């Protein structure tokens, strides 16, 4: 099926400095193709390479998300579901590698390391990930029948998670939540604005439900069994009756749970090679829904709720 081409995706960079870039506590964001991109990764050129050279296959699987929406968790689930006939849970590579190593980022890993890599020999289905918004995906992804799984999360928890993570990664103990929150509300955060990011995938999941699956962190928390079965079905690797009866789904859910993953040695003390992230443990903080109430004032919650109401109006997409 021919997918819609985005007017935002173009090979011509449109870079303008952000007010945030002059703030010593922020990552130095630049506006690029309509979104805010963290410039520290030299991401703009890797994004252009990805858009220019990536050739999608119909059986590719792409995990897509905004940072801190549940990417690590979803990668663990996707990897385990797809590879469940090759590995048992005691010998899965997830025991010795962080999920991000097993499902690499297209723009933040693959096309940074090589501007035109040969990805054709990777066994199928190839598993990739991205934090890029839908309009910035390579046209070949949009034209192919590959499957995209998108995960989102209530933005209040995303802001708080992102604040903790950024302070930890960049050693910024003095960076205030107020600063971080203000930027989020202006849409000035990595791969933001949040609402445009979510809307791109939301709309595609409505238009092409067999190509784009829209998942929510909160639903995965509430009913991980049902959501894991839904995910496996969408990926084309559904669980058999026998697997359901013998507890395979349950075992995968338990293995990929926050408590299990965070206690694996690789995620307690490990660090990914050539990564700017100092420790894998930064990907596992509290893993809760609604943790924001301990950090955001009711006035802040109301402010962001009003912004969301306006930005998402008429789309059918809502966040509780
Ligand atoms: P990333 O985009 O940098 O990869 P991502 O994995 O999307 O980050 O989000 C990290 C959040 O998911 C953290 O949330 P918190 O700060 O509110 O705690 C992290 O704790 C949570 N998380 C990581 N793994 C899991 C898991 N298996 N189950 C539930 N939550 C998880």
């Amino acid at each position: 099926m021919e997918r819609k081409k985005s007017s935002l995706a173009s090979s011509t960079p449109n870079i303008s400095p952000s007010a945030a870039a002059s703030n010593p506590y922020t990552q130095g964001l630049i506006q690029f193709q309509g979104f805010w991109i963290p410039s520290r990764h030299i991401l703009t050129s890797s994004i252009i390479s990805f858009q220019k050279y990536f050739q999608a296959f119909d059986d590719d699987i792409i995990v897509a998300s905004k940072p801190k929406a549940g990417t690590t968790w979803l990668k663990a689930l996707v990897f385990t579901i797809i590879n469940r006939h090759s590995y048992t849970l005691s010998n899965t590579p997830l025991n010795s590698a962080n999920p991000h190593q097993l499902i690499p980022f297209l723009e933040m890993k693959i096309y940074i390391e090589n501007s035109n890599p040969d990805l054709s020999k990777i066994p199928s289905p190839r598993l990739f990930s991205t934090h890029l918004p839908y309009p910035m995906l390579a046209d070949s992804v949009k034209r192919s029948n590959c499957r995209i799984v998108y995960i989102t999360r209530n933005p209040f928890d995303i802001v708080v998670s992102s604040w903790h993570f950024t302070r930890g990664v960049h050693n910024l103990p003095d960076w205030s939540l107020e600063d971080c929150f203000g930027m989020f509300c202006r849409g000035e955060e990595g791969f933001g604005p949040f609402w445009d990011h979510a809307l791109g995938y939301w709309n595609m999941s409505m238009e092409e439900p067999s190509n784009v699956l829209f998942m929510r962190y909160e639903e995965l928390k509430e009913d991980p069994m049902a959501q894991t079965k839904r995910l496996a079905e969408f990926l084309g690797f559904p669980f058999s009756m026998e697997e359901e009866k013998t507890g395979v789904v349950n075992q995968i859910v338990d293995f990929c749970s926050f408590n299990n993953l965070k206690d694996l040695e690789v995620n307690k003390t490990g660090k990914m090679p050539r990564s700017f992230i100092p420790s894998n443990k930064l990907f596992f903080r509290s893993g809760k829904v609604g943790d924001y109430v301990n950090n955001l004032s009711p006035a802040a919650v109301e402010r962001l709720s009003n912004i969301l109401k306006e930005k998402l109006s008429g789309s059918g997409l809502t966040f509780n």
Side-chain angles (χ1 to χ4, degrees):
M1 188 190 302
E2 176 82 17
R3 296 195 194 176
K4 272 199 185 146
K5 287 213 172 66
S6 158
S7 56
L8 290 171
S10 99
S11 56
T12 313
N14 165 24
I15 300 173
S16 71
S18 154
S22 58
N23 179 339
Y25 294 134
T26 60
Q27 314 161 30
L29 300 170
I30 54 176
Q31 202 173 43
F32 182 67
Q33 298 182 357
F35 289 84
W36 291 97
I37 301 297
S39 60
R40 65 167 184 272
H41 302 298
I42 326 168
L43 269 183
T44 47
S45 52
S46 82
I47 292 169
I48 291 169
S49 301
F50 159 64
Q51 292 173 340
K52 197 162 161 192
Y53 297 120
F54 183 71
Q55 289 306 317
F57 296 164
D58 283 346
D59 57 358
D60 284 345
I61 291 169
I62 299 180
V63 172
S65 61
K66 269 272 293 105
K68 316 328 288 177
T71 327
T72 314
W73 189 10
L74 182 58
K75 284 186 182 186
L77 283 168
V78 169
F79 184 88
T80 312
I81 289 169
I82 300 294
N83 290 292
R84 69 186 187 271
H85 302 302
S86 310
Y87 303 113
T88 65
L89 292 178
S90 44
N91 74 10
T92 170
L94 280 161
N95 287 304
S96 52
N98 179 272
H100 289 295
Q101 289 170 268
L102 301 173
I103 306 190
F105 282 106
L106 287 155
E107 74 286 359
M108 292 199 295
K109 178 81 179 160
I110 295 174
Y111 283 89
I112 279 197
E113 296 189 344
N114 184 336
S115 62
N116 190 5
D118 178 7
L119 306 173
S120 63
K121 309 274 180 331
I122 298 176
S124 119
R126 303 183 303 177
L127 305 180
F128 300 116
S129 66
T130 187
H131 276 330
L132 292 178
Y134 187 85
M136 288 176 76
L137 297 183
D139 280 346
S140 98
V141 172
K142 298 174 189 168
R143 277 197 307 266
S144 78
N145 262 322
C146 76
R147 291 174 169 91
I148 299 173
V149 187
Y150 183 72
I151 188 158
T152 190
R153 183 181 190 186
N154 85 69
F156 310 99
D157 279 336
I158 289 188
V159 179
V160 172
S161 179
S162 177
W163 175 62
H164 282 289
F165 183 78
T166 307
R167 289 201 322 166
V169 166
H170 300 289
N171 191 20
L172 298 170
D174 297 335
W175 189 35
S176 73
L177 180 56
E178 285 69 32
D179 266 4
C180 177
F181 184 77
M183 288 176 66
F184 193 95
C185 288
R186 293 191 299 275
E188 287 182 18
E189 36 109 24
F191 306 95
F194 167 83
W195 40 89
D196 287 340
H197 201 287
L199 276 175
Y201 287 98
W202 169 256
N203 289 335
M204 290 317 296
S205 75
M206 295 288 138
E207 277 181 40
E208 297 176 11
S210 56
N211 292 116
V212 182
L213 180 71
F214 195 89
M215 299 190 76
R216 292 174 185 262
Y217 184 96
E218 293 76 16
E219 289 176 352
L220 202 44
K221 270 278 179 191
E222 195 176 317
D223 195 346
M225 291 276 288
Q227 291 298 319
T228 300
K229 285 195 262 180
R230 177 179 173 236
L231 174 60
E233 193 106 355
F234 170 80
L235 295 174
F237 289 77
F239 293 105
S240 65
M241 293 292 279
E242 185 63 17
E243 284 182 306
E244 290 201 29
K245 259 196 267 164
T246 53
V248 171
V249 191
N250 219 341
Q251 287 157 18
I252 289 178
V253 165
D254 284 350
F255 183 86
C256 296
S257 68
F258 178 79
N259 285 338
N260 185 62
L261 290 187
K262 93 168 168 14
D263 284 341
L264 295 175
E265 202 52 45
V266 63
N267 295 325
K268 275 200 297 198
T269 57
K271 175 190 183 310
M272 290 182 285
R274 299 183 299 283
S275 171
F276 69 95
I277 294 162
S279 167
N280 289 344
K281 73 170 185 247
L282 289 167
F283 291 107
F284 305 89
R285 189 181 62 91
S286 76
K288 294 196 184 105
V289 172
D291 186 40
Y292 70 87
V293 295
N294 300 312
N295 295 273
L296 297 179
S297 68
V301 172
E302 194 186 342
R303 177 179 167 201
L304 183 51
S305 300
N306 287 338
I307 293 172
L308 290 173
K309 222 178 274 170
E310 184 206 320
K311 301 287 183 188
L312 302 176
S313 148
S315 68
L317 175 61
T318 55
F319 289 90
N320 292 329

